[in-house]
Amino acid sequence: MKLYCLSGHPTLPCNILKFKSTTIMLDCGLDMTSTLNFLPLPLVQSPRLSNLPSWSLKDGNAYLDKELKECSGHVFVDSVPEFCLPETELIDMSTVDVILISNYHCMMALPYITEHTGFTGTVYATEPTLQIGRLLMEELVNFIERVPKAQSASLWKNKDVQRLLPSPLKDAVEVSTWRRCYSMQEVNSALSKIQLVGYSQKIELFGAVQVTPLSSGYALGSSNWVIQSHYEKVSYVSGSSLLTTHPQPMDQASLKNSDVLLLTGLTQIPTANPDGMVGEFCSNLALTVRNGGNVLVPCYPSGVIYDLLECLYQYIDSAGLSNVPFYFISPVANSSLEFSQIFAEWLCHNKQTKVYLPEPPFPHAELIQTNKLKHYPSIHGDFSNDFRQPCVVFTGHPSLRFGDVVHFLELWGKSSLNTVIFTEPDFSYLDALAPYQPLAMKCIYCPIDTRLNFIQVSKLLKEVQPLHVVCPEQYTQPPPTQSHRMDLMIDCQPPAMSYRRAEVLALPFKRRYEKIEIMPELADSLVPMEIKPGISLATVSAVLHTKDNKHVLQPPPRSTQPTSGKKRKRVSDDIPDCKVLKPLLSGSIPVEQFVQTLEKHGFSDIKVEDTAKGHIVLLQEAETLIQIEEDSTHIICDNDEMLRVRLRDLVLKFLQKF
Amino acid sequence: MDPECSRLLPALCAVLADPRQPMTDDTCLEKLLDWFKTVTETESSLLLLQENPCLVELLSQALKFQDVSSRILSFSLRLAGIFAAQENCFQFLQQGELLLGLFGEAGPLGLPAWNVPSVRSGWIQGLCSLAKHPSAEQFLVDCGAVDTIFSLQGDSSLFVASAASQLLVQVLSLSIQGRATPHLGSSDGDWPSCAQSIVGYLEESLRSGATPQITQALKVLTTTFGRCHHSWTEALWMRLSPLVTCLLEKDTVPTAHSLADLFLSMARSPTFGSSDCDLWVTLAQTLSCLSPTQAGPLALGILKLHVCPQALKTQAFDVLLQPLACVLEAAAQVPGSSGLPDGTGSNPTMADALLASTSSCAALLCQSLAHLGELQALPHSPRPWPQVLLLEATVMTLRFCSGSAVPISSVGGRLCGILASCIRVQRAALDFLGMLSQGTGACPQESVTQVFAILLEYLRSPESSPTVLKKAFQATLRWLLSMSKACGSNNPDPHTQPFLRELFPVMQKRLCNPCWEVRDSALEFLTHLTTHWGGQPDFRQALLASDVPELTQQLLQDPEAYVRASAVTAMGQLASQGLHATPSGPEHPGAKQKSLPQELLHILSLDSEGFPRRAVMQVFTQWLQDGHPAMAEDLEQFMARVFQVVSRDLDWEVRVQGLELARVFLAQTLGPPDCPYAVALPAATPPTSPAEVLRTLGRVQLLEFAFRALFDCDRPVAQKSCDLLLLLRARTAPGGGLQGAECNPEAVTVEAALRAWQAGEQGQPLGELVPEVVVAILRTLDLEGLQATLAESSDHVEQSPRSLLQDMLAAVGALGGHEADCY
């Protein structure tokens, strides 16, 4: 059993598991932090961004001046932003049988894999994962395509050139694999390969293994996966949460008794408690608006935003914010808000019961109805007519490199009355803000990451007790900035195996058993014999039939009397030779009794020697040795077949036959 | 006994004995037992039984166990015990073999009813009451009760087990004290037989090696030494001490808690405290061999003893300090530099206990902090008190919890992980930190700076949970107060000012928190702050430069009632100090804002919850007392409006508050009382005439409110109003002065209206309250009589034994007169 690790990002995993005869890709995350090296794509012509000075090498060589621009003391690539793909060289993607998706954030690299690698398999995901994943991809494509940029920079990627660049460009990894965003056509084609599954549904893969999605509690339709054969179980835990937010709670019980538990997608901010962060978010929002400032919340169009809106729904009245407009701007804003209301079966119990009242499960419906929350596909069009300040704007993209958020940062960045509040933990907020400096706007960082923290992981591992844990290397040591926090790492016994990008791990367990079915008529013919209390044995003669990874023992064909007994059968004949078998023996030979028996049968001058493995009975007179060991007995006599047979029969008296 | 009760008793006994009329209310039976206990304290039980044969019948009825409910059986057992506590009555009951029937082996022991814990408990309590005289001891031995008590010690019901243990102590003490035994030695023959069997049982239990048995035996000993201070207890200890000290020699002491209790109970007893039995040595040995968590309560107990060798106290104090010493040592860059007793280095068990798990670490630290806090408050707290080091250790604990500590040692690293975001420890440490603010005189500046830094960190951190934050607010307040006390009010402390500047931005954020508990505790904190520092220019400047006053005003509309109440109080305090937000400030030009008194009046009239309305009344009273300018402006009209609203309030506490406001207003209107010894104030306002006063009171509707409240269905309101009117009468109609107008027709109308009000018809208009009429009414009303009636508790009638008996009879419908209803 092998694990091919294609992504080094612990929360955007992409691994391939080779298990029995199957090749299973686990998630297909896309690392978008690479976009932080690029200049933002302004929605409205920005004089500041379009007139940036070019950056040239120290020797004055200016051939990079079209590609690299200097902005706020940093150097950025002036090009269409590019993403860091999972490793594709490690394994031939055309051999991948299936891709299991755990949540909508972990499928963003899917079009790159399904469309350009020869992949011919099936993708499994839940319905909300597919629908919201589609929205995220659609938003991404839309953000990038609506600001067409002619230029695609590639010179800087040259290894010899990259070495000479300032940080962080110099240290960017795998730049040669960075790719531009996919098109909507590729998205559609990739998503068409998805087959929908429900929680706890058992999916057979070629009869060899069974895969089952389990609720993971993190997002709408998010799942962990159990991959099992009859005697082996691998659990894949990715992006799970034990907090009570909108999705169905995590199913922990089904993860028990795993041989290997692959653990990814833990919280990215282990020291921040989501409750405290929500409090911080609300109070900063209220204080800014009170002082006449605007609040900008860079976010994804789905996920935490539902919880934030719910929290604000309860909060705005107490904070006297009833008259402050909330704007949600995204090409998929409408779909996201509406989709969330129709996936009742994937929601937590409280929200499910609302549906029967009937009420919309999320209160943002009421916010929309009362005009407190308004949503627009972009800043163009209706929004510009309705726009009223001070206000709160939720918009993407959290990287601050594309999407409507770029416009608001340009618009509001100069006033210290305004605040940008970062809630998504995927990007370093300082890096995200780098091209906008100097910024007068206040910046508040309250990352809300509901995924498991290390305390919860340690409880989970105690509860489900896997034999081995495998996780990204980042989880096996404290975060570099808090090296003394030994609690911020996975602590389990035996220690977790760690992986990093482009590594192949041999998983630490061997398959020892295979299940074989016995046909009823064959079972009927067996005559078990009890050899120990509770243990019975029977010999079986049968034909082993293997098809689709299922093994069946069938009764042997009736041995047709050979027409000519002398004719030798062909070796290639697939019906095995059913000759009469010698009986199988079991039991042990008690040496003292055996010696007594020998004496009774007239042997004299018997000596017994103890050896490391058993005993040697010496019949000195007959010059014969009987070696009795745990699993063998040898009679060594000098060509006296009669004597050997006599002795053999005496030995056999002590053994059971069947 | 009251003859009326005597008359009711037979019927009641019949009801109790009748299995067809189950008594469902246990509390009645309890009250009945209490009553019998009181009666037998003053009267002869024997006489009582002879005069009321129904009682004996009831008890004998209980002997027919099949017919009796477990409730009545338990009751009868306890009742029999109460009667048999007097020796002659005991003899009387014994003659009829009643007691043997109830408590002996032929009693309920073998019956299914014995499975009911209340029956077993009744049996024990009966014997407990009974075991008061020598005859009783013999009875206990004869009926074999002692063995049953032994077995009941391990009863599944904790109440029964504990009562059995108490009973055993009582029997032991009865048995020994009954004899004038000159000397109790270690041989069995010296001890009375009953005592011997108990002591033998204790010895056997202590030897058994089974934790439950040992614990039971230790509990019996603890109670014995706690209760009996005779010299025989010493003999008992001499006999058992080898077995008890043996328990300490095991690797882990399983009964540590009970052992500690035992030794402490002995140390508190005058018999042992002063004697030379090696108690102090044993205590020292126990301290050193118990685990850190087990030793904590013992150490605290030792430190609380009045008589105790100093060396032992020092050892005990070290035990309590050790966990904190470990924390300091874990944080220190150089090992052993903490200055507190050696922590981890010399005491590996302490380090193990701290580093084993979050729960054990939290338990140990919380225990240590709580114990030290308790000690610090004692008048005889241990000396020398390591104030500075305790401060450092507490601050360090809090830093470990918040994750802001950056330890170098591996122990520190592990402690950091264990304590990270541990709310329990955070609360305990903040509590203790607050306590440490007392006696800061010797604190170096550096420590104080550290304290304020950690407090600010906790107040600021979004990770602080609401309860932790509340504790942080409390600790902050205590430190600010103690700093200002130390420096004097005119001398601002060098720490306070920069701290306050940092504090208000934090407060702003807290007042906007979505969690109402946070907003509430922030408002409470603000109120306290303003009360103490509202007059200080620096404080005023920092406060007014922030948004805090506006945010507080906004919270008057909070959805949570508690928050609104706290906001009202805070606004009241801010306004008292002239610190509230000015209405229609430049930022909100369009907003139409009411003045604060109007806004509070609005809350008083319309808020659906009681808390904000009560808070409003308190604020108004405070303002009136302080002569707040907001009230001075058109006071009469405002008061009239308040009294009108408050008299219709549904919450009696609000009405009481209203009457308090009325009292203050009245006192101010009347002016200072004519005291012959009072120093005449030079610029005192000319005394107002009684008629003028009454006219004013009438105008502000105070009189109508007070009269209405006089007949309020809630007693405290009526009482308060009665007091108020008595004061008014004393000052305006003290016999002479204004002539009453008894025959005034208006007075007649008012009186008629008042009578109607008293009868519950509050709708009747009162008529015009001209001064003459008021005086007449005040004189006519029997205010003293009313006051006396109201002073009696409302259930004085219902609490009489007669009423109890009647109630019980009525409950089963046995009070005659209803038969006729059956058609």
Side-chain angles (χ1 to χ4, degrees):
Chain A
M1 183 180 290
K2 285 204 163 134
L3 186 73
Y4 296 75
C5 310
L6 311 186
S7 156
H9 198 299
T11 37
L12 297 168
C14 183
N15 296 306
I16 289 178
L17 179 72
K18 282 210 167 203
F19 182 23
K20 290 183 83 171
S21 52
T22 57
T23 305
I24 303 170
M25 180 182 272
L26 303 169
D27 277 332
C28 206
L30 182 64
D31 186 351
M32 294 199 239
T33 48
S34 54
T35 56
L36 294 174
N37 295 297
F38 293 79
L39 275 182
L41 297 179
L43 218 55
V44 178
Q45 175 71 20
S46 155
R48 186 182 76 92
L49 289 174
S50 49
N51 294 323
L52 290 171
S54 299
W55 186 86
S56 42
L57 289 164
K58 278 196 188 114
D59 57 9
N61 211 328
Y63 63 93
L64 285 172
D65 62 355
K66 285 234 164 51
E67 296 200 350
L68 300 182
K69 293 275 154 63
E70 219 173 328
C71 175
S72 316
H74 291 82
V75 177
F76 294 94
V77 182
D78 186 11
S79 148
V80 185
E82 294 179 340
F83 307 118
C84 178
L85 269 53
E87 200 66 45
T88 47
E89 304 297 311
L90 205 59
I91 187 168
D92 180 359
M93 293 292 171
S94 65
T95 63
V96 173
D97 297 314
V98 291
I99 303 179
L100 307 181
I101 301 294
S102 54
N103 63 64
Y104 46 76
H105 286 296
C106 293
M107 60 186 279
M108 298 299 277
L110 206 55
Y112 294 116
I113 303 294
T114 57
E115 305 310 298
H116 302 291
T117 61
F119 170 80
T120 53
T122 314
V123 184
Y124 289 104
T126 61
E127 192 182 354
T129 304
L130 166 66
Q131 299 301 356
I132 298 175
R134 179 194 297 279
L135 296 183
L136 290 183
M137 290 180 178
E138 206 179 307
E139 186 191 58
L140 189 68
V141 173
N142 189 308
F143 279 161
I144 290 180
E145 284 185 353
R146 76 183 176 191
V147 190
K149 196 144 185 160
Q151 184 177 341
S152 181
S154 58
L155 286 174
W156 71 277
K157 292 185 186 173
N158 183 314
K159 273 195 178 127
D160 295 328
V161 178
Q162 200 197 349
R163 256 185 318 118
L164 305 171
L165 302 181
S167 279
L169 282 177
K170 184 173 68 178
D171 311 317
V173 285
E174 311 276 349
V175 288
S176 57
T177 67
W178 291 11
R179 292 286 175 274
R180 302 174 62 154
C181 189
Y182 33 71
S183 67
M184 213 46 225
Q185 195 185 359
E186 287 166 317
V187 169
N188 287 331
S189 165
L191 297 183
S192 69
K193 298 186 170 71
I194 292 185
Q195 193 160 328
L196 296 182
V197 289
Y199 288 147
S200 304
Q201 184 183 334
K202 295 183 168 66
I203 303 133
E204 287 279 338
L205 298 186
F206 319 114
V209 296
Q210 201 180 52
V211 295
T212 312
L214 306 171
S215 171
S216 80
Y218 167 56
L220 271 175
S222 70
S223 5
N224 293 322
W225 290 87
V226 167
I227 304 144
Q228 59 190 338
S229 64
H230 292 295
Y231 294 99
E232 297 90 14
K233 178 170 174 180
V234 176
S235 294
Y236 173 54
V237 172
S238 162
S240 302
S241 174
L242 292 170
L243 301 181
T244 317
T245 53
H246 59 271
Q248 238 186 59
M250 178 179 176
D251 177 356
Q252 293 184 67
S254 308
L255 299 172
K256 281 185 183 168
N257 305 319
S258 304
D259 296 287
V260 171
L261 186 128
L262 180 55
L263 187 59
T264 66
L266 304 185
T267 173
Q268 302 192 65
I269 319 288
T271 50
N273 157 26
D275 278 343
M277 288 303 150
V278 169
E280 193 73 0
F281 171 81
C282 288
S283 31
N284 281 301
L285 184 145
L287 283 174
T288 305
V289 175
R290 275 191 58 82
N291 287 326
N294 302 293
V295 177
L296 178 62
V297 188
C299 62
Y300 292 115
S302 177
V304 174
I305 187 170
Y306 302 142
D307 295 316
L308 283 180
L309 287 175
E310 177 151 9
C311 181
L312 286 172
Y313 168 77
Q314 290 156 2
Y315 176 69
I316 49 178
D317 287 332
S318 77
L321 301 177
S322 321
N323 298 322
V324 177
F326 288 75
Y327 300 120
F328 176 21
I329 303 170
S330 160
V332 296
N334 187 29
S335 321
S336 165
L337 292 173
E338 287 184 357
F339 267 136
S340 65
Q341 307 281 22
I342 60 163
F343 288 127
E345 58 169 306
W346 306 89
L347 293 172
C348 64
H349 179 74
N350 264 352
K351 295 216 180 305
Q352 279 194 23
T353 45
K354 279 193 165 186
V355 179
Y356 298 103
L357 286 178
E359 269 175 28
F362 285 95
H364 55 237
E366 199 184 317
L367 288 175
I368 295 169
Q369 233 167 34
T370 52
N371 262 341
K372 287 175 182 164
L373 173 68
K374 295 182 182 176
H375 54 86
Y376 305 89
S378 93
I379 52 168
H380 301 301
D382 288 349
F383 174 71
S384 38
N385 300 330
D386 299 349
F387 182 49
R388 192 153 58 79
Q389 303 190 72
C391 64
V392 180
V393 170
F394 295 87
T395 187
H397 184 269
S399 67
L400 309 188
R401 292 301 178 271
F402 36 83
D404 302 88
V405 72
V406 176
H407 175 71
F408 285 101
L409 269 170
E410 293 279 321
L411 183 72
W412 290 341
K414 293 169 208 78
S415 165
S416 63
L417 282 178
N418 303 325
T419 306
V420 52
I421 308 183
F422 292 87
T423 55
E424 301 288 356
D426 285 355
F427 300 91
S428 144
Y429 79 103
L430 287 174
D431 291 346
L433 285 172
Y436 300 95
Q437 299 294 359
L439 200 68
M441 191 176 193
K442 280 196 286 289
C443 301
I444 306 288
Y445 182 54
C446 19
I448 297 168
D449 194 333
T450 57
R451 285 173 281 202
L452 297 176
N453 64 30
F454 289 98
I455 299 173
Q456 291 163 335
V457 164
S458 124
K459 279 188 191 152
L460 176 75
L461 292 181
K462 264 186 204 145
E463 173 92 15
V464 306
Q465 303 246 334
L467 288 182
H468 299 281
V469 176
V470 179
C471 64
E473 62 172 350
Q474 289 91 333
Y475 296 159
T476 57
Q477 61 219 16
T481 49
Q482 285 162 303
S483 54
H484 64 284
R485 291 291 296 270
M486 302 305 282
D487 56 318
L488 302 184
M489 56 184 268
I490 291 178
D491 181 21
C492 64
Q493 278 310 324
M497 278 186 86
S498 67
Y499 68 79
R500 61 171 73 177
R501 188 180 165 107
E503 221 173 29
V504 182
L505 294 188
L507 293 183
F509 86 103
K510 288 216 156 50
R511 290 183 43 223
R512 298 172 60 190
Y513 299 106
E514 189 59 88
K515 186 170 175 175
I516 298 177
E517 283 181 14
I518 300 182
M519 297 293 282
E521 40 294 24
L522 178 61
D524 211 27
S525 69
L526 298 182
V527 185
M529 205 172 82
E530 193 169 50
I531 55 151
K532 263 191 213 171
I535 297 180
S536 298
L537 293 180
T539 51
V540 185
S541 301
V543 174
L544 177 65
H545 186 267
T546 297
K547 187 183 175 189
D548 287 350
N549 291 306
K550 284 206 162 56
H551 314 291
V552 183
L553 281 181
Q554 293 175 342
R558 296 235 173 79
S559 51
T560 44
Q561 287 297 321
T563 44
S564 147
K566 286 167 195 162
K567 212 175 188 179
R568 217 182 137 84
K569 283 196 169 162
R570 279 173 295 147
V571 184
S572 63
D573 202 330
D574 57 351
I575 301 165
D577 198 357
C578 302
K579 60 182 174 187
V580 179
L581 290 165
K582 283 183 188 168
L584 296 172
L585 302 173
S586 71
S588 59
I589 302 164
V591 179
E592 273 178 36
Q593 285 175 34
F594 180 58
V595 171
Q596 282 168 13
T597 316
L598 287 174
E599 282 170 345
K600 224 185 271 175
H601 284 81
F603 293 96
S604 57
D605 203 8
I606 302 169
K607 264 178 113 182
V608 178
E609 279 176 22
D610 288 352
T611 64
K613 289 179 179 170
H615 309 277
I616 296 177
V617 179
L618 267 172
L619 306 178
Q620 289 179 323
E621 206 177 317
E623 291 183 10
T624 298
L625 275 179
I626 306 171
Q627 277 183 340
I628 304 173
E629 290 178 357
E630 196 185 8
D631 48 4
S632 65
T633 303
H634 288 99
I635 300 167
I636 303 162
C637 56
D638 251 356
N639 286 329
D640 187 345
E641 182 62 8
M642 286 284 282
L643 177 64
R644 191 192 69 82
V645 171
R646 251 180 87 202
L647 288 172
R648 183 202 66 188
D649 290 344
L650 287 178
V651 168
L652 286 179
K653 274 187 185 170
F654 287 93
L655 297 175
Q656 287 177 303
K657 299 167 212 51
F658 63 91
Chain B
M1 185 188 286
D2 179 357
E4 177 63 16
C5 292
S6 240
R7 197 183 61 76
L8 289 168
L9 214 47
L12 181 70
C13 287
V15 165
L16 291 178
D18 186 354
R20 287 166 305 159
Q21 291 181 314
M23 188 56 66
T24 48
D25 186 4
D26 271 341
T27 50
C28 284
L29 295 176
E30 290 294 328
K31 283 181 190 165
L32 207 56
L33 282 172
D34 284 346
W35 174 56
F36 278 118
K37 213 177 254 173
T38 336
V39 171
T40 54
E41 270 163 18
T42 51
E43 292 176 34
S44 154
S45 304
L46 183 61
L47 219 60
L48 192 70
L49 288 191
Q50 282 165 347
E51 283 170 2
N52 300 289
C54 60
L55 288 171
V56 182
E57 267 168 45
L58 174 66
L59 294 181
S60 5
Q61 184 69 25
L63 288 176
K64 298 174 194 160
F65 300 108
Q66 293 83 342
D67 295 350
V68 179
S69 73
S70 59
R71 209 172 258 154
I72 295 299
L73 181 56
S74 168
F75 169 78
S76 305
L77 288 164
R78 291 167 68 186
L79 188 63
I82 291 174
F83 291 137
Q86 293 178 12
E87 201 158 2
N88 55 356
C89 189
F90 171 82
Q91 309 290 6
F92 171 75
L93 289 172
Q94 262 297 68
Q95 281 161 19
E97 300 241 308
L98 200 61
L99 291 179
L100 209 58
L102 283 171
F103 296 104
E105 272 157 6
L109 265 69
L111 295 173
W114 189 249
N115 291 329
V116 182
S118 70
V119 172
R120 300 197 296 275
S121 166
W123 186 86
I124 294 177
Q125 288 181 36
L127 285 183
C128 248
S129 317
L130 177 153
K132 295 274 164 61
H133 41 76
S135 323
E137 186 204 341
Q138 196 50 48
F139 170 74
L140 289 170
V141 174
D142 292 346
C143 72
V146 180
D147 286 334
T148 314
I149 305 174
F150 289 155
S151 66
L152 283 178
Q153 276 197 291
D155 199 277
S156 56
S157 154
L158 289 179
F159 289 104
V160 174
S162 154
S165 166
Q166 305 270 340
L167 177 58
L168 209 56
V169 174
Q170 195 176 338
V171 176
L172 177 67
S173 135
L174 177 72
S175 160
I176 296 177
Q177 282 167 12
R179 315 286 152 84
T181 321
H183 174 69
L184 289 171
S186 55
S187 83
D188 291 358
D190 300 343
W191 297 71
S193 66
C194 179
Q196 173 52 37
S197 71
I198 295 176
V199 175
Y201 172 76
L202 293 178
E203 285 176 330
E204 198 184 305
S205 303
L206 288 172
R207 262 192 221 107
S208 69
T211 310
Q213 268 87 318
I214 299 176
T215 314
Q216 284 163 18
L218 292 176
K219 267 188 195 156
V220 171
L221 287 179
T222 309
T223 319
T224 311
F225 296 138
R227 256 199 228 166
C228 315
H229 302 149
H230 297 282
S231 57
W232 63 265
T233 51
E234 205 177 342
L236 179 67
W237 175 240
M238 292 309 244
R239 201 172 150 176
L240 297 177
S241 63
L243 291 174
V244 175
T245 41
C246 237
L247 297 173
L248 288 174
E249 284 155 18
K250 299 191 175 147
D251 283 345
T252 50
V253 187
T255 52
H257 191 65
S258 311
L259 267 177
D261 282 350
L262 171 65
F263 293 143
L264 285 175
S265 146
M266 288 172 71
R268 287 185 206 112
S269 157
T271 323
F272 297 96
S274 51
S275 77
D276 53 355
C277 72
D278 301 325
L279 177 63
W280 305 127
V281 181
T282 315
L283 274 171
Q285 189 198 346
T286 316
L287 268 185
S288 54
C289 67
L290 293 187
S291 77
T293 331
Q294 293 167 333
L298 180 63
L300 178 70
I302 291 173
L303 288 164
K304 281 178 164 178
L305 290 175
H306 288 286
V307 185
C308 174
Q310 188 54 42
L312 183 61
K313 284 207 170 185
T314 312
Q315 190 192 348
F317 196 37
D318 283 355
V319 167
L320 292 188
L321 293 176
Q322 245 164 9
L324 292 182
C326 276
V327 170
L328 267 191
E329 209 168 278
Q333 317 222 332
V334 193
S337 64
S338 66
L340 284 171
D342 278 345
T344 43
S346 63
N347 193 343
T349 44
M350 180 62 69
D352 288 347
L354 272 180
L355 298 177
S357 67
T358 307
S359 58
S360 78
C361 180
L364 188 57
L365 276 175
C366 289
Q367 177 182 283
S368 174
L369 290 165
H371 287 167
L372 286 168
E374 209 174 311
L375 281 179
Q376 205 235 7
L378 289 181
H380 55 279
S381 59
R383 296 277 176 265
W385 180 261
Q387 173 82 5
V388 177
L389 292 168
L390 283 176
L391 265 181
E392 272 178 27
T394 315
V395 169
M396 197 39 82
T397 310
L398 285 168
R399 292 186 59 198
F400 274 124
C401 292
S402 70
S404 62
V406 187
I408 294 170
S409 68
S410 66
V411 179
R414 285 181 63 193
L415 205 55
C416 210
I418 285 173
L419 287 178
S421 346
C422 178
I423 292 179
R424 252 180 89 198
V425 175
Q426 290 180 354
R427 283 197 303 239
L430 283 167
D431 258 346
F432 185 57
L433 188 67
M435 287 182 197
L436 286 176
S437 65
Q438 311 302 315
T440 49
C443 267
Q445 294 291 315
E446 200 187 328
S447 298
V448 181
T449 314
Q450 273 185 11
V451 169
F452 279 109
I454 193 76
L455 285 173
L456 201 60
E457 185 187 323
Y458 269 75
L459 293 177
R460 203 179 263 159
S461 164
E463 297 295 308
S464 300
S465 79
T467 48
V468 168
L469 194 70
K470 191 174 174 96
K471 296 276 182 201
F473 276 133
Q474 286 167 349
T476 307
L477 194 69
R478 292 182 78 157
W479 273 93
L480 285 173
L481 275 177
S482 87
M483 293 319 288
S484 78
K485 223 181 272 169
C487 300
S489 55
N490 298 330
N491 239 346
D493 166 67
H495 294 100
T496 324
Q497 290 317 318
F499 180 77
L500 286 177
R501 274 197 297 278
E502 303 257 14
L503 181 66
F504 285 111
V506 177
M507 290 288 292
Q508 275 175 207
K509 216 181 266 183
R510 293 305 183 188
L511 290 174
C512 294
N513 199 288
C515 173
W516 72 263
E517 289 94 337
V518 172
R519 300 197 295 275
D520 193 49
S521 37
L523 284 170
E524 274 175 18
F525 178 66
L526 175 68
T527 309
H528 290 300
L529 273 185
T530 316
T531 315
H532 292 290
W533 287 280
Q536 267 196 19
D538 288 340
F539 175 86
R540 298 176 68 89
Q541 202 184 353
L543 177 73
L544 290 173
S546 73
D547 278 347
V548 168
E550 288 88 350
L551 286 169
T552 311
Q553 182 143 17
Q554 184 186 305
L555 289 177
L556 292 174
Q557 271 112 43
D558 199 273
E560 180 60 46
Y562 293 114
V563 179
R564 290 200 298 278
S566 299
V568 166
T569 315
M571 277 315 289
Q573 196 55 44
L574 286 174
S576 290
Q577 310 269 10
L579 285 165
H580 66 295
T582 42
S584 65
E587 313 92 68
H588 312 284
K592 233 176 144 185
Q593 293 219 352
K594 295 188 197 117
S595 73
L596 184 59
Q598 288 304 326
E599 196 164 355
L600 295 190
L601 194 61
H602 184 76
I603 292 175
L604 182 69
S605 345
L606 293 176
D607 203 301
S608 57
E609 299 278 342
F611 306 104
R613 303 201 306 268
R614 286 178 212 169
V616 168
M617 287 315 296
Q618 270 159 348
V619 166
F620 284 162
T621 311
Q622 188 63 43
W623 280 356
L624 189 64
Q625 253 162 356
D626 299 349
H628 181 54
M631 300 286 277
E633 204 176 289
D634 209 358
L635 178 65
E636 279 189 18
Q637 204 186 352
F638 186 70
M639 286 314 242
R641 185 83 194 94
V642 173
F643 289 133
Q644 214 172 23
V645 173
V646 85
S647 69
R648 289 196 197 97
D649 203 290
L650 292 175
D651 182 349
W652 68 266
E653 283 193 50
V654 176
R655 297 198 298 278
V656 168
Q657 289 286 344
L659 286 163
E660 176 60 20
L661 179 70
R663 193 194 60 74
V664 174
F665 183 80
L666 177 63
Q668 287 185 355
T669 317
L670 289 169
D674 300 329
C675 174
Y677 307 108
V679 180
L681 293 171
T685 44
T688 328
S689 75
E692 192 52 44
V693 168
L694 289 174
R695 263 191 286 280
T696 310
L697 298 184
R699 277 199 302 277
V700 300
Q701 316 243 6
L702 185 147
L703 289 170
E704 186 171 341
F705 171 42
F707 283 129
R708 206 176 273 279
L710 196 59
F711 307 114
D712 200 287
C713 52
D714 287 297
R715 197 160 58 96
V717 181
Q719 256 179 321
K720 184 107 191 155
S721 165
C722 197
D723 294 345
L724 180 87
L725 290 175
L726 276 167
L727 172 74
L728 180 65
R729 193 183 68 184
R731 296 289 297 278
T732 54
L738 255 181
Q739 281 306 307
E742 281 80 357
C743 46
N744 186 328
E746 281 167 11
V748 177
T749 328
V750 173
E751 257 182 84
L754 285 179
R755 266 197 298 278
W757 284 7
Q758 193 164 17
E761 293 169 36
Q762 297 262 325
Q764 184 106 356
L766 192 61
E768 201 184 342
L769 290 170
V770 293
E772 294 76 13
V773 172
V774 175
V775 169
I777 298 290
L778 284 176
R779 286 201 183 133
T780 338
L781 278 174
D782 178 18
L783 288 173
E784 283 86 358
L786 200 59
Q787 195 181 31
T789 320
L790 289 169
E792 281 179 331
S793 76
S794 58
D795 57 352
H796 73 280
V797 182
E798 285 71 21
Q799 265 189 347
S800 73
R802 194 179 66 192
S803 138
L804 172 68
L805 300 184
Q806 281 170 340
D807 284 353
M808 288 178 78
L809 286 170
V812 290
L815 273 187
H818 296 299
E819 285 88 352
D821 289 345
C822 303
Y823 293 105

